[in-house]
Amino acid sequence: MENINASKSVADLLGSQLKQAFAQTFSKKEVSDASLNLKEETPLAPNSEKNDKTRELLKQRAEQSFRKVEVNELKSTIGGDQQFLKTTLKNKLMEYGVHPNTRISLSKDVSGDLKVNGPMLKSELEKINQDLNNDANLKSAFQRVSQHEPTLSYVSNVVKLSQAYGANNNLFNSLISEDTNYNKLSDISHRYESMRTHNKETAPQLETGFEFKL
């Protein structure tokens, strides 16, 4: 299945932010203390059983302290737009005699127009780009996906890491409302974008665009 990815620089930056956030959230001492506490709470057992119990305790602690977010529900928010972009691009490739499985990417140029990049003739690219920019529905779908996908990737990664390590992430918690009615993807994206914008050190590096890849 094709994936939708943020640009490499954005992905690298988010990875760096995650590492920093988790380094702040649980230090080596805290990990050590947590291990000691687990030893006290977990009865002696064979290694495999003890590992299972330890893993379960960590998971339970993460669920208790970590504000739950339904990642699958968030993914469904832009799932229709993602499928629409995929189908439209494949149909457009076939329309101009290009194999529908050709690896291409859709992004915006400096003027805000949509542009396709891929192994095609320049004349084919120009015709496809012109058609795509005349499609208001496609432009709207791309705008929604480009706005929300980076946030969705961030949320998914933090949830996975938090559950794996059994620890809170204060940076992520600041993006989540106590009222679940305000934890839709659009709500989290708005708060996430505000956080990035107000971070003077990282904000300039984040203005690198977004790519939808087939």
Side-chain angles (χ1 to χ4, degrees):
M1 178 180 293
E2 294 84 353
N3 294 321
I4 301 176
N5 300 300
S7 64
K8 184 177 184 300
S9 58
V10 174
D12 292 341
L13 178 57
L14 291 181
S16 175
Q17 286 181 329
L18 286 175
K19 290 179 182 179
Q20 293 175 3
F22 275 90
Q24 294 171 355
T25 302
F26 47 100
S27 63
K28 292 182 178 179
K29 182 179 183 304
E30 290 172 324
V31 172
S32 177
D33 291 344
S35 298
L36 290 175
N37 290 335
L38 288 172
K39 288 180 181 179
E40 295 175 0
E41 297 170 6
T42 308
L44 292 176
N47 287 338
S48 59
E49 183 179 351
K50 187 175 182 179
N51 288 339
D52 289 341
K53 290 185 176 182
T54 299
R55 194 177 297 109
E56 185 60 29
L57 279 173
L58 287 173
K59 188 177 295 185
Q60 290 175 3
R61 287 185 175 184
E63 291 175 351
Q64 291 169 0
S65 62
F66 197 82
R67 297 173 187 172
K68 291 183 180 179
V69 174
E70 294 296 332
V71 176
N72 288 334
E73 185 176 328
L74 295 182
K75 288 180 179 179
S76 69
T77 303
I78 57 173
D81 286 329
Q82 292 172 342
Q83 186 59 43
F84 175 69
L85 290 176
K86 173 184 171 182
T87 301
T88 302
L89 288 174
K90 283 182 174 292
N91 288 341
K92 189 58 62 177
L93 290 177
M94 289 189 291
E95 181 181 337
Y96 286 97
V98 181
H99 196 284
N101 291 330
T102 300
R103 293 288 184 181
I104 64 171
S105 65
L106 179 66
S107 59
K108 279 188 175 182
D109 60 23
V110 292
S111 64
D113 291 330
L114 294 178
K115 65 174 182 178
V116 168
N117 289 307
M120 285 176 280
L121 296 175
K122 183 178 179 180
S123 58
E124 293 172 336
L125 285 172
E126 290 177 347
K127 291 177 181 178
I128 291 176
N129 287 336
Q130 183 176 1
D131 288 350
L132 296 181
N133 281 290
N134 288 331
D135 189 333
N137 291 329
L138 183 90
K139 295 181 75 172
S140 295
F142 180 85
Q143 178 62 30
R144 288 189 293 270
V145 172
S146 64
Q147 178 182 357
H148 298 311
E149 200 280 335
T151 302
L152 182 57
S153 294
Y154 175 81
V155 170
S156 298
N157 287 333
V158 171
V159 169
K160 288 177 183 177
L161 288 172
S162 296
Q163 290 175 341
Y165 286 97
N168 247 342
N169 183 303
N170 294 330
L171 177 62
F172 176 75
N173 283 346
S174 67
L175 300 176
I176 307 302
S177 172
E178 293 288 354
D179 188 340
T180 56
N181 291 322
Y182 297 100
N183 282 334
K184 296 180 177 63
L185 184 57
S186 57
D187 300 320
I188 301 174
S189 291
H190 177 73
R191 292 191 287 268
Y192 181 54
E193 206 51 47
S194 295
M195 177 194 73
R196 298 199 308 176
T197 301
H198 285 85
N199 188 330
K200 296 181 180 180
E201 294 181 356
T202 60
Q205 303 176 48
L206 292 167
E207 299 300 327
T208 54
F210 170 86
E211 289 186 332
F212 179 96
K213 294 183 179 181
L214 285 183

